[in-house]
Amino acid sequence: MAMAMPTITHHPASVTAPEGATATFTVTVTLPPGTAGGITYQWQSRAPGAPNFVDIVGANAASFTTPVLAAADNNAAWRARVTNAGDTADSHEAVVTV
């Protein structure tokens, strides 16, 4: 069966959360009918002012909940990287305002 790039049909949304709370982000992915292979998830974060996203260890599901947010997390960003048999798609980034 043919492999196909995963299509992100629902991107995580930016949120405003108070200091001391958490934020949950979700991504929804589809593959064309008849496509073989499973989807894997890898959530990534980018600290405020940092140039690159980095993988979050153990964040491998369709949803991700942040650790408790601090004022220093204002404008931090998260995104999901989804993979199907080597084809990868990144979600839009979701920014948190604390």
Side-chain angles (χ1 to χ4, degrees):
M1 282 191 173
M3 296 297 168
M5 182 170 288
T7 300
I8 298 172
T9 54
H10 174 81
H11 293 268
S14 294
V15 297
T16 298
E19 189 172 2
T22 60
T24 299
F25 302 106
T26 301
V27 65
T28 304
V29 179
T30 59
L31 293 171
T35 301
I39 297 169
T40 60
Y41 300 88
Q42 177 60 65
W43 284 90
Q44 300 177 317
S45 65
R46 187 182 70 219
N52 300 316
F53 280 90
V54 295
D55 290 349
I56 302 168
V57 175
N60 305 112
S63 293
F64 171 73
T65 300
T66 67
V68 172
L69 297 167
D73 294 315
N74 189 52
N75 290 323
W78 285 266
R79 72 178 181 192
R81 175 164 281 174
V82 293
T83 303
N84 177 52
D87 289 326
T88 300
D90 292 333
S91 72
H92 299 161
E93 66 181 50
V95 176
V96 68
T97 302
V98 181

